[in-house]
Amino acid sequence: MIHREMGKVIFNEEISEGIFKTDFISPGISANSKPGQFVNILPSFNWENVMRRPMSIANVEEKRITIIYKIFGRGTKILSESKIGGILDLLGPLGNVFSGWKEKYVPILVGGGVGLAPILNLFKECQKYKIHSNLILGARTGREHFIDHDPSNGIFLTTDDGTLGTSGTVIPTLENVFSVVDNPMVYACGPLPMLKAVQDFVIQNKIPAQLSVESYMGCGTGLCQGCVIKKRNIKAKAHSYHERYSLVCMDGPVYSADEVCFD
């Protein structure tokens, strides 16, 4: 059930270099949210900023929801400057959810950049239900990470510049973890190049996987048609728009790895 709520800001800080965390009191959204879903936030009530910003839910705790984000433009800059006690217009929970992680599979969770938000949410749910999982988080530099590299407990950090954890992208670490996990299922969210690399790896190795797609959205409810992604292996006629394309806000953001095309 989708709620429109006036969420009260109770925490808003920079938790690592360029990465912000904001907590809202939002009882309706928190009570109905599941890992993989997102909220669409109106960053201010000023008519100069009427476009909502989609933000994956990183954590749910009682009546509280958490988002983790980078500053990409004016809207996220305004959001990062929100004061404790301030009120923001929230719409959610939106989108579909990660599935299968409570079943027979061993989850391998992969997050890159601010795409780590829904992955952290799923990781905490796995911990809540005592489901063993492996968490792989990538960043450009160690200054962007805000949790510890702890391979003995299944937490693997990577950095492009080698300043923390394993040097390089998430893919070599994913390959290593996959090689020692029985019956794995991969869940990933991050920038497009990372998702494409994960998609190639899981398809080549025939690993079941779900990818959470990041997209610019205006409404979050399918009206603006602004978050289109192409489907894979569609043989529909050239003019069949709705068979060739998917709306991330309505059909996603979570897709099976073989459903969508990142080319």
Side-chain angles (χ1 to χ4, degrees), residues 16-19 68-70 72 110-120 136-141 144-146 158 160 170 189-192 194 214:
S16 62
E17 187 176 273
I19 308 293
I68 296 173
Y69 57 97
K70 279 186 178 181
F72 286 110
V110 186
V114 290
L116 54 79
I119 296 302
L120 286 179
I136 305 170
L137 300 178
R140 292 177 302 175
T141 176
E144 294 181 351
H145 280 302
F146 50 87
T158 74
D160 294 345
V170 297
C189 183
L192 190 149
M194 189 207 87
E214 296 180 325

Side-chain angles (χ1 to χ4, degrees), residues 9-28:
V9 178
I10 58 173
F11 181 91
N12 190 34
E13 291 184 8
E14 186 175 18
I15 57 174
S16 62
E17 187 176 273
I19 308 293
F20 286 81
K21 174 185 173 184
T22 305
D23 290 350
F24 301 93
I25 294 296
S26 180

Side-chain angles (χ1 to χ4, degrees), residues 138-212:
R140 292 177 302 175
T141 176
R143 296 188 299 275
E144 294 181 351
H145 280 302
F146 50 87
I147 65 174
D148 294 330
H149 181 61
D150 189 6
S152 63
N153 286 311
I155 300 175
F156 305 87
L157 304 185
T158 74
T159 49
D160 294 345
D161 63 3
T163 53
L164 182 62
T166 302
S167 178
T169 71
V170 297
I171 298 302
T173 299
L174 173 58
E175 293 172 345
N176 291 337
V177 172
F178 163 68
S179 69
V180 297
V181 171
D182 292 328
N183 206 24
M185 183 164 181
V186 173
Y187 300 84
C189 183
L192 190 149
M194 189 207 87
L195 285 184
K196 180 65 169 66
V198 171
Q199 182 186 55
D200 291 343
F201 176 76
V202 297
I203 290 176
Q204 180 180 354
N205 289 278
K206 298 180 179 169
I207 311 167
Q210 294 177 4
L211 311 178
S212 179

Side-chain angles (χ1 to χ4, degrees), residues 106-132:
V106 176
I108 302 177
L109 316 178
V110 186
V114 290
L116 54 79
I119 296 302
L120 286 179
N121 195 356
L122 181 55
F123 181 63
K124 291 176 181 177
E125 283 294 291
C126 288
Q127 291 180 315
K128 175 182 174 181
Y129 288 95
K130 301 186 185 309
I131 296 170
H132 175 71

Side-chain angles (χ1 to χ4, degrees), residues 75-103:
T76 46
K77 175 65 173 174
I78 293 171
L79 184 58
S80 73
E81 296 170 347
S82 298
K83 304 298 183 183
I84 302 301
I87 302 295
L88 291 179
D89 187 330
L90 311 178
L91 184 67
L94 300 172
N96 61 358
V97 304
F98 292 120
S99 61
W101 53 276
K102 287 184 180 180
E103 299 173 8

